[in-house]
Amino acid sequence: MSFSRQQALKDSSAREARRYFDAEGPVSSYFGENVFDLPKMKQYMSEAAYAAVEAAVKEGRHLDRSVADEIADGIRKWAMEKGATHYTHLFQPLTDSTAEKHEAFVDFRDNVAVERFGGSALVQQEPDASSFPNGGLRNTFEARGYSAWDPTSPVFVLDGTLCVPSVFVAYTGEALDMKTPNLKSVQAISDAATAVASLFDENVHSVSVSIGLEQEYFLVDEALWAARPDLVQCGRTVIGHTAAKDQQLSDHYFGAIPQRVSAFMKDFETEAYRLGIRLHTRHNEVAPNQFECAPIFSSATTAIDQNMLLMIVMQKVSARHHLKVIFHEKPFQGVNGSGKHCNWSLCTDGGTNLLSPGKTPSRNLRFLSFFACVLKGVSDHNFLLMSSVASLSNSYRLGGSEAPPAVMSVFSGSTLHGIIEDIMAMEDFSRQETHRETLSIVGAMPEIILDNTDRNRTSPFAFTGNRFEFRAVGSSQNAAGAVYVLNTIVAEALREFRGMADRLMAEGEEKESAIVHTIRKFLLDARNVMFEGNGYSKEWQEEAARRGLKSIGDVTEAFAAFRSEDTVELFEKTGVLTRSELEARYAVMNETYVKKLQIEARVIGDLCLNHIIPAAIKYQQLLGASLDGMWKLFGDESPSLCRAEISTLRKISQGINDLSDHVAELVAARRKANRETDTPTRARLYCHEIRPLMDRVRFDADNLEMLVDDELWPLPKYRELLFLQ
Ligand code: ADP
Ligand code: MG
């Protein structure tokens, strides 16, 4: 057996389940100990400085530079007590990961070492960071990048470094990150939702977005991972025959958690609790070696920042367990991929969930207003919502018969859907009549829809009783991309809702009646996205096409939604992104797609030419030598004696030729595509020409895997990668 595969199998089978990050006492005794939250701040700074931070944290007020020095000094003292020696602004560039550049607290004045952390270092840094994708926003000579503290997200200590959650913007103020538009979208939806909520309750002053992110992931032993160049370089296997047994028996799903995995989970949970992340669930997922964890929901910025942090923590902790966490959406062909289900709802400053139906008809009316606005937003900007989750890695998962399909429909559940149907079905001859009829339907709504919403796992966007679950978000993505789009499209629908209700009232309609008519109009407008059936079925794909809903079959096409006039108008009106920022994002999406696919195509070429074909040739030679020997011994009799060898030899030789021809074609196609200078066109070429060729190469390679002597096969196989004990 190839040395690296053999060694990896040996190493991986010798591992033990062990805890490395144990904590004493119950979780409540150490929860949040590494986060500098408001109660801790109180102890480390003067009342005036504390008041300034509190206003910044709670009301998003601008932090005055005059108190920044004192705040920074308080933070430094606390961080040093926690063992921190360095600080960094932690930001979220357009790469789906986080970025950090550490600077030491220690400063040298007149050769004397002193620890310092000034207000300006806290508030703003200029990390240069010119190599991050910027879509052309930083092409001028003075286009520096700045990171700036987002005080709504608390600072924390990780691995001896004080981390300051930050936005990342260009010199011109344009956003170069995922956090900036997310913060702006939260403001936009708060304003719009407050205006609608105050139709029902004058005491609503602001509305926040609640997010609960379920994180799916795979685990692979570190040694086996290292023996697979594709996992190392692409985060997924680009070749590999399926194992005889994988998820058919559903014996992994919700099963007993393997010992090693359980130790790893407990360790990363402990670290996450120290960082104030409210983890709550853990379980085995459908595919072998696939798992999930989820925290209790929190505000949009906190939930997203903490999810990014959780991914870092999981990676760090996994190293101690000799495990690799794989966040790629589709690391293994033939078994389920991973998502990051995004649970989304709206909550008033008084703590009311606006997507909770409540008990009384008037509350139901408020619920239906918000519900109708979400549907309207999804319908009006259906393709944009899809493009918010469009990426190369997610495209391997979306549309398969396992994950949310590529069409963005909304599932309401039979009870609620029945109510919606009734409202929509009413004749609109007399407004007064319609109003009365609707109110009787609304009044008859069951008290708690939560218990009446059936689960439909095939819907990408499902109402689950008191929130929506956006299931198409990919496991490796920064959820901010999906969330700021969702916030923005719903913000616009809410603005329109209030606008229409106001207009009807100005025309003399009673408030309730105006609201009812607006709900009905919005529901009718959103009819095309309502779908209660099986989202995986062929009939639905056909039906969706008839309704004019686009499918995400081709993600490069979906990118275009970011530069459509509709989108530009939407984002500029809501103040979330400008035309040039959208253009930049469109450019980055295309660029990233091409680069990632280029890497995959190179890796698959390398694996075939330098690993698989040589192994197949060795086997070919063995068979040839055996036939030679048989010929010498048995002469004319040997062909009938060696039927199996001859047939295998033929198949192997044919397999090697096919694979080598197809790799050559792939290389030629890549060269041709690389000559295309327009990136979006190159992305389409990669999508339509390179990907099918990669599929063919994979088919040939997997075919050889089934022919070549197992002893000679150079790479760990699926059955070896996928079953941790
Ligand atoms: P399931 O897999 O059954 O959907 P999980 O328990 O894995 O459920 O995850 C549900 C997620 O939804 C959790 O993060 C939970 O806190 C979150 N959630 C619950 N209520 C809300 C809400 N009102 N708004 C946003 N997220 C919510
Ligand atoms: Mg779940």
Side-chain angles (χ1 to χ4, degrees):
M1 193 184 282
S2 92
F3 179 72
S4 64
R5 177 169 162 225
Q6 193 178 27
Q7 189 60 41
L9 286 169
K10 219 163 108 193
D11 289 351
S12 70
S13 63
R15 312 275 193 220
E16 278 171 23
R18 253 188 75 185
R19 295 286 308 272
Y20 299 91
F21 296 85
D22 221 346
E24 272 177 35
V27 174
S28 53
S29 67
Y30 58 91
F31 183 80
E33 67 180 18
N34 292 341
V35 186
F36 197 49
D37 50 17
L38 285 174
K40 287 192 200 95
M41 285 189 194
K42 222 170 188 161
Q43 299 165 25
Y44 283 81
M45 54 192 74
S46 72
E47 260 176 48
Y50 176 77
V53 177
E54 196 185 24
V57 172
K58 290 192 176 158
E59 294 150 40
R61 279 225 220 124
H62 194 71
L63 202 59
D64 195 56
R65 289 273 174 131
S66 62
V67 287
D69 274 333
E70 192 193 328
I71 295 168
D73 204 51
I75 292 178
R76 179 189 58 77
K77 283 194 188 113
W78 168 79
M80 286 181 62
E81 282 169 22
K82 289 268 148 210
T85 55
H86 287 65
Y87 67 92
T88 182
H89 277 200
L90 189 69
F91 55 98
Q92 302 168 17
L94 303 176
T95 55
D96 277 330
S97 36
T98 52
E100 49 194 271
K101 179 187 174 192
H102 300 195
E103 309 221 20
F105 283 135
V106 74
D107 195 8
F108 302 93
R109 295 225 175 130
D110 304 324
N111 255 349
V112 179
V114 222
E115 273 82 13
R116 259 186 242 282
F117 182 48
S120 53
L122 166 68
V123 174
Q124 191 172 315
Q125 257 192 332
E126 194 196 326
D128 181 33
S130 54
S131 295
F132 285 116
N134 62 70
L137 284 179
R138 295 184 62 188
N139 284 347
T140 59
F141 69 98
E142 59 177 2
R144 292 182 215 138
Y146 290 97
S147 55
W149 181 30
D150 161 24
T152 62
S153 198
V155 303
F156 56 89
V157 169
L158 180 68
D159 256 1
T161 299
L162 169 73
C163 299
V164 181
S166 299
V167 295
F168 182 48
V169 294
Y171 176 72
T172 47
E174 282 155 319
L176 295 170
D177 69 347
M178 304 295 280
K179 195 179 184 43
T180 306
N182 191 33
L183 288 169
K184 289 183 175 169
S185 75
V186 164
Q187 190 57 54
I189 197 167
S190 174
D191 294 347
T194 306
V196 173
S198 54
L199 283 170
F200 305 91
D201 177 359
E202 283 166 6
N203 296 318
V204 178
H205 305 293
S206 66
V207 171
S208 66
V209 180
S210 310
I211 299 282
L213 295 168
E214 303 166 42
Q215 180 68 55
E216 291 181 337
Y217 59 97
F218 277 83
L219 289 175
V220 171
D221 183 88
E222 179 187 78
L224 293 166
W225 173 85
R228 290 283 313 210
D230 46 358
L231 278 179
V232 174
Q233 301 234 288
C234 313
R236 75 172 183 109
T237 54
V238 294
I239 55 165
H241 200 284
T242 48
K245 171 188 179 290
D246 44 50
Q247 64 187 39
Q248 310 87 322
L249 302 177
S250 302
D251 50 355
H252 182 67
Y253 187 52
F254 283 11
I257 300 172
Q259 283 301 301
R260 241 180 109 191
V261 178
S262 165
F264 161 68
M265 286 175 168
K266 289 172 187 160
D267 270 359
F268 84 69
E269 284 167 4
T270 306
E271 285 299 276
Y273 288 142
R274 290 191 165 114
L275 289 161
I277 302 173
R278 308 190 291 181
L279 283 177
H280 202 65
T281 59
R282 55 160 109 112
H283 64 85
N284 289 4
E285 257 300 331
V286 172
N289 274 15
Q290 191 188 26
F291 306 92
E292 182 187 303
C293 61
I296 293 183
F297 68 93
S298 47
S299 81
T301 22
T302 306
I304 290 164
D305 287 0
Q306 291 194 338
N307 174 257
M308 301 300 285
L309 178 58
L310 179 65
M311 289 165 81
I312 298 176
V313 169
M314 287 168 75
Q315 255 147 355
K316 283 191 195 239
V317 171
S318 68
R320 298 297 300 271
H321 292 260
H322 300 287
L323 289 168
K324 275 284 166 191
V325 189
I326 298 178
F327 289 118
H328 193 287
E329 283 79 358
K330 192 76 179 176
F332 301 99
Q333 192 169 283
V335 295
N336 274 17
S338 299
K340 179 148 34 201
H341 292 180
C342 176
N343 294 271
W344 181 97
S345 72
L346 294 170
C347 188
T348 66
D349 51 340
T352 306
N353 179 354
L354 293 165
L355 287 168
S356 183
K359 291 180 187 165
T360 58
S362 64
R363 293 247 176 82
N364 288 346
L365 208 52
R366 181 183 65 193
F367 160 73
L368 281 171
S369 305
F370 280 89
F371 187 84
C373 285
V374 177
L375 261 86
K376 175 98 159 74
V378 174
S379 170
D380 285 354
H381 298 282
N382 191 259
F383 203 38
L384 173 66
L385 188 60
M386 193 185 301
S387 77
S388 76
V389 295
S391 70
L392 175 67
S393 51
N394 209 16
S395 73
Y396 292 120
R397 158 182 173 259
L398 293 175
S401 285
E402 42 130 336
V407 176
M408 286 295 154
S409 58
V410 184
F411 171 81
S412 308
S414 52
T415 316
L416 188 54
H417 188 68
I419 295 167
I420 293 170
E421 285 279 357
D422 287 347
I423 297 174
M424 289 193 300
M426 285 172 322
E427 296 289 334
D428 202 18
F429 293 129
S430 140
R431 286 188 158 177
Q432 240 20 66
E433 270 305 300
T434 317
H435 171 213
R436 233 174 287 133
E437 215 183 315
T438 323
L439 275 189
S440 70
I441 297 169
V442 172
M445 263 171 75
E447 272 197 11
I448 304 171
I449 285 195
L450 191 57
D451 296 333
N452 291 298
T453 32
D454 9 75
R455 292 287 181 130
N456 180 341
R457 293 282 170 197
T458 69
S459 174
F461 199 88
F463 182 68
T464 52
N466 63 356
R467 61 188 185 267
F468 282 93
E469 188 171 338
F470 188 15
R471 301 207 182 99
V473 185
S475 49
S476 73
Q477 294 180 316
N478 180 337
V483 169
Y484 76 69
V485 166
L486 185 54
N487 289 348
T488 308
I489 63 182
V490 178
E492 189 195 47
L494 287 162
R495 274 157 65 131
E496 270 180 44
F497 189 97
R498 178 71 205 232
M500 179 169 166
D502 282 348
R503 214 167 40 249
L504 293 177
M505 286 189 280
E507 285 164 16
E509 257 190 74
E510 294 284 323
K511 185 164 97 178
E512 255 182 12
S513 165
I515 290 169
V516 164
H517 285 116
T518 313
I519 292 174
R520 184 164 180 272
K521 160 95 171 45
F522 272 42
L523 291 175
L524 285 168
D525 283 356
R527 211 173 190 154
N528 65 337
V529 293
M530 298 176 192
F531 180 65
E532 299 294 300
N534 177 4
Y536 298 164
S537 70
K538 203 165 148 276
E539 293 74 42
W540 167 233
Q541 305 304 319
E542 288 160 9
E543 163 74 12
R546 268 197 299 280
R547 293 191 194 178
L549 294 171
K550 280 193 188 172
S551 157
I552 204 178
D554 170 359
V555 291
T556 56
E557 195 189 319
F559 297 159
F562 264 70
R563 62 183 332 210
S564 80
E565 279 309 310
D566 266 8
T567 303
V568 175
E569 199 189 316
L570 164 77
F571 278 108
E572 294 206 321
K573 209 158 53 181
T574 42
V576 175
L577 285 168
T578 62
R579 182 185 290 274
S580 59
E581 287 170 329
L582 285 162
E583 280 286 342
R585 265 149 229 263
Y586 171 70
V588 171
M589 282 168 135
N590 281 289
E591 210 176 279
T592 310
Y593 183 89
V594 169
K595 284 183 179 159
K596 289 198 169 163
L597 201 46
Q598 192 172 43
I599 293 169
E600 291 187 357
R602 284 180 182 154
V603 168
I604 202 173
D606 164 55
L607 285 179
C608 292
L609 296 180
N610 306 312
H611 299 249
I612 293 171
I613 292 180
I617 290 176
K618 273 184 212 145
Y619 189 42
Q620 193 185 33
Q621 284 166 345
L622 275 180
L623 287 168
S626 148
L627 282 172
D628 256 1
M630 293 295 277
W631 175 259
K632 278 182 195 133
L633 280 175
F634 299 103
D636 286 349
E637 236 183 300
S638 69
S640 69
L641 283 174
C642 304
R643 284 200 325 275
E645 286 99 314
I646 292 172
S647 141
T648 311
L649 188 55
R650 275 187 204 284
K651 285 189 206 148
I652 287 278
S653 306
Q654 184 63 45
I656 295 173
N657 285 338
D658 285 348
L659 180 56
S660 137
D661 290 349
H662 292 148
V663 170
E665 266 182 60
L666 175 63
V667 172
R670 221 176 63 225
R671 296 228 166 97
K672 189 178 131 219
N674 289 345
R675 282 197 291 274
E676 172 58 56
T677 48
D678 178 58
T679 313
T681 313
R682 194 168 348 131
R684 277 196 295 279
L685 278 177
Y686 262 87
C687 177
H688 296 297
E689 291 182 19
I690 309 291
R691 272 182 75 161
L693 286 174
M694 284 172 61
D695 288 344
R696 221 165 50 173
V697 167
R698 177 176 193 146
F699 178 83
D700 297 335
D702 293 354
N703 177 41
L704 279 175
E705 186 180 325
M706 289 292 101
L707 288 171
V708 171
D709 179 2
D710 184 60
E711 287 285 310
L712 295 176
W713 195 254
L715 304 164
K717 296 184 171 181
Y718 270 27
R719 64 162 193 268
E720 295 158 348
L721 292 166
L722 279 174
F723 295 91
L724 281 170
Q725 291 310 309

